[in-house]
Amino acid sequence: MESRMKSKALKRYVFVIIVISLLNAASSVTHYSIPEELDEGSIVANLATDLGLDVGTLSRRKIRLDTLANKKYLDINKETGELFIVERIDREYICTTKAAATCVLKLDATIENPVRMFNIELEIVDINDNAPHFRRDTMHLDISESTHVGERFSLNNAVDPDIGVNSIKTYYLSESDHFSIEIQTGRDGSKFTDLILKKALDREEQASHNLILTAVDGGVPARSGTASIIVRVLDTNDNAPQFDKDSYTINLTENSPIGSLVVKLNATDKDEGSNSDLLYSYSLYTSEKTQQTFSLNPNNGEIRVKEMINYEDFRIYDMEIIATDKGANSLSGKCKVKILITDMNDNHPEISIKSFSSPVKEDVAVNTVIAVVSVSDKDSGENGQVDIHISDDLPFALKESSDNYYELLVSEPLDREKVPEYDITITVTDRGNPPLCDNETITLELLDVNDNVPQFPQTFYTIPVMENNAPGASLSSLTAIDPDLHENQYLVYFIIEKEIANTSMSMLFSINPENGNLYALKTFDYEIEKEFLFHIEARDSGVPPLSSNVTVHIIIMDQNDNTPLIVSPWRAHGSEVKEKIPRSTDKGTLIAKVIAIDSDSVHNSRITYQFLQNTDATLFSLDQYNGEIRTMRMFSYRDSRDQRLVVIAKDNGEPALSATVTIKLSTVETALKTYTEVPLEYDIFSDLNLYLVIGLGSVSFLLLITILVTIVLKCQKAKPSKAAPPCRNSVISERNSTIADSTLVSNDAYWYSLFLAETRKGKLVVRQPVPKGARYIVSSIPRSTGLTETSDSAASTLQTKYCGVHRGNFSSFIPSLTVLSASHFWSQIQCFVAV
């Protein structure tokens, strides 16, 4: 804001450049006049023109400007000869003397060839760039409230670094009912003000006055500065003390204790300081007897009992109290006090217990009399009349039986478990003023009866038990609560008999009859027993006994205590599986599938597979989730003929359990002739090629029919007691086990057959259990035979034949279908002869 105001002032300022040439014998002086606060780079004048110098020779003659001040505010452009502003010029900074009418900056311009010096005077003209300000932002004045109107008070004047019309022009005072200002001008032209009181002050009405004094200069636009004036009004003793009331009437009972407070008088004075400090005293109109009976505190106005008061001696005391302030010219106020003595109820009523029955049973009948009491009071009139009562919260009532005799009755059913005993306070009060009272407390004890059923904290308990627990292990504590006492509180715990699979609950669990601790009597197996549900009863020893029961749900938690069992490929304990595969096996061919099962729960039975040992890590891959072993590439002549794979099946338990299987693979040269399919281009498929394809197809079809007939004849000649050896392309396991390409013979009716994977489609074929005593043969053919595969013709062949009691009905027991590919027929035939 200040910078914008400066720029506006500069724009309004008319530059007047006066060049004065003073020629004398010594030197010439060039005079310029500019306003202060010009922007850097502003042109003052063309010094070369004014001095009569050739602009083209300024650089060569090395013209320079020397200033007599500490800073270099101007410089000469050697190309144009112009005198320009290098740094902003502040007139108030250069000319610090306020009285200076003009501010001149002297400079020297020097050139060479020949050497000449020019004197330059630069007059700095003031602009309104400074606002008036007070030396102190806040002025404090202390003025007595008794000060006369028209009194003057000098104020600190404001200062403005600017001169002339830009200096302070006038002052303004904020609106006030009590004060005004008067502006005066000094001999040096400065302006100052006096504060004038125009209305009388009253401290009790307004203790201080806050004013704002504003100084305004004469610049365009005008600038201003402010200061706060805080006037504190000083107090004078112009207010007399006043009591709250002009007269007081006090009722005081006889026999009031000495020193007891009768009344505390309060007088106030609007003044402050010592003018408001008060002293209390009796006036001359107060009798000597009154002053002897009552004392008056001179500092706080308290009237207290000084002697014993007797109603029969004096019934009324009159006094006059004076309150005087401590001002120089003290002022005072007064009030009248009348004390009325009243008769006192000074005899307490009495209560007497005539009969009382305790303890009683908690099931005592309502309206049964518990106690008989009598009351009396030696006073007369209302002071001798008494009222008797007990607490409304108690299940008892008082009934008047005769004059001043009362019976204490049971008004509500009692419950010992809620309140075992009652402290009954019988209070008797007379009707005096103030009333007097007496009380007597009796304690009624209740005897327990068996009226509460044992209660369990919960109606249903769910107890997790980790399997493989030790017999006799503590499972939980089932504790019931009976609020009765003694034998009614003693509890015995039982397991309510229940049979599960012909096994009694008492054979599986036991409970401590005294404390309800539940124990397991056997070791549980999650794979056999997963949960138990039974009831436990808690019975007290009362007559008659009461009982309750709770449901207990035992959940057996699984542990990872079962090692994965490898079911495929099957092998004898500790033995390894030996298989043979063709060396012409393609990349991605299913070599084997490892299948393991785990009887633990779902979380612990998740099985993953990985190689523990692999002869060539670049040759085989193992799917960690389904256990499939496939070739990663084709065999090369550098690969060993024997490959040893050790697969580990690991469950997801903590700690994890595992099982391993060793598969020894032997590669053999395939005996079948392979063909390489060469893709044909349509544009070279001639008629001759068509005839060759038809001929080859016919020969192949005839050969197929011949082989089928031969197979049928061989099957009809087979003996019923023996199984024919497999054909030349079969691969026989050395231990009668099979992986993806092997033959298995088994007599176990409940043994699951080999899990075989259809190579391309990823289908899993599982043989279900067959009737007991039956015999079966499962066989599969090696998929890789060296032929080029297509999308559907590369499927592996699975053929299963069943030999049962009735030979003619074998087709109904075939557990799976035969998948055949015509293009690979020659390499996929496998013969099984069932005996």
Side-chain angles (χ1 to χ4, degrees), residues 142-193:
D142 291 337
I143 303 176
S144 173
E145 62 178 327
S146 60
T147 303
H148 298 291
V149 175
E151 189 75 22
R152 307 170 72 92
F153 303 92
S154 298
L155 300 177
N156 293 330
N157 61 317
V159 295
D160 191 332
D162 295 325
I163 61 175
V165 295
N166 296 328
S167 62
I168 295 174
K169 179 180 181 182
T170 187
Y171 291 89
Y172 297 100
L173 183 68
S174 60
E175 185 177 353
S176 174
D177 295 334
H178 294 81
F179 296 96
S180 63
I181 59 171
E182 182 178 304
I183 304 173
Q184 299 184 20
T185 304
R187 293 181 179 180
D188 58 351
S190 61
K191 291 182 171 37
F192 57 91
T193 60

Side-chain angles (χ1 to χ4, degrees), residues 450-597:
N450 191 25
D451 56 348
N452 289 280
V453 176
Q455 294 290 334
F456 286 93
Q458 301 172 218
T459 58
F460 190 90
Y461 286 86
T462 300
I463 303 174
V465 178
M466 190 65 67
E467 67 170 329
N468 301 321
N469 59 290
S474 176
L475 304 182
S476 180
S477 180
L478 310 177
T479 305
I481 299 174
D482 192 326
D484 292 326
L485 288 178
H486 308 304
E487 67 274 2
N488 298 329
Q489 187 185 33
Y490 299 148
L491 302 181
V492 181
Y493 299 89
F494 307 92
I495 295 178
I496 298 177
E497 286 297 334
K498 177 182 179 182
E499 290 190 358
I500 299 178
N502 298 325
T503 302
S504 173
M505 281 294 104
S506 60
M507 301 295 294
L508 301 176
F509 303 96
S510 70
I511 188 168
N512 189 318
E514 295 181 356
N515 56 27
N517 290 340
L518 185 64
Y519 301 93
L521 297 180
K522 60 167 288 186
T523 300
F524 297 109
D525 190 347
Y526 172 82
E527 288 71 33
I528 300 176
E529 303 146 325
K530 290 184 172 56
E531 62 180 4
F532 300 94
L533 192 67
F534 55 92
H535 299 279
I536 290 178
E537 178 181 309
R539 183 184 306 164
D540 62 27
S541 302
V543 178
L546 301 177
S547 64
S548 65
N549 61 67
V550 67
T551 303
V552 179
H553 185 200
I554 303 293
I555 300 176
I556 308 302
M557 307 297 291
D558 181 48
Q559 272 188 341
N560 190 27
D561 56 347
N562 290 281
T563 303
L565 176 63
I566 297 178
V567 299
S568 175
W570 183 89
R571 81 278 188 225
H573 181 70
S575 62
E576 62 182 20
V577 179
K578 296 182 179 179
E579 299 298 340
K580 297 180 181 180
I581 58 175
R583 289 187 67 84
S584 60
T585 299
D586 291 339
K587 174 184 178 182
T589 302
L590 179 65
I591 301 302
K593 183 177 180 70
V594 179
I595 299 176
I597 60 175

Side-chain angles (χ1 to χ4, degrees), residues 739-754:
I739 53 177
D741 305 314
S742 62
T743 301
L744 172 64
V745 179
S746 175
N747 290 321
D748 187 357
Y750 290 94
W751 177 253
Y752 281 83
S753 70
L754 172 68

Side-chain angles (χ1 to χ4, degrees), residues 358-403:
S358 178
V360 296
K361 289 187 177 181
E362 62 175 318
D363 59 351
V364 63
V366 176
N367 294 325
T368 300
V369 178
I370 301 300
V372 177
V373 298
S374 66
V375 294
S376 62
D377 194 322
K378 296 178 181 180
D379 291 325
S380 61
E382 289 188 353
N383 293 335
Q385 297 177 4
V386 295
D387 296 315
I388 185 171
H389 68 277
I390 61 174
S391 174
D392 296 335
D393 298 333
L394 297 176
F396 304 98
L398 286 170
K399 179 181 178 183
E400 187 174 2
S401 60
S402 61
D403 189 19

Side-chain angles (χ1 to χ4, degrees), residues 34-53:
I34 62 172
E36 64 173 328
E37 301 292 343
L38 283 178
D39 294 335
E40 296 178 4
S42 299
I43 305 300
V44 176
N46 194 311
L47 188 61
T49 303
D50 295 340
L51 298 178
L53 301 176

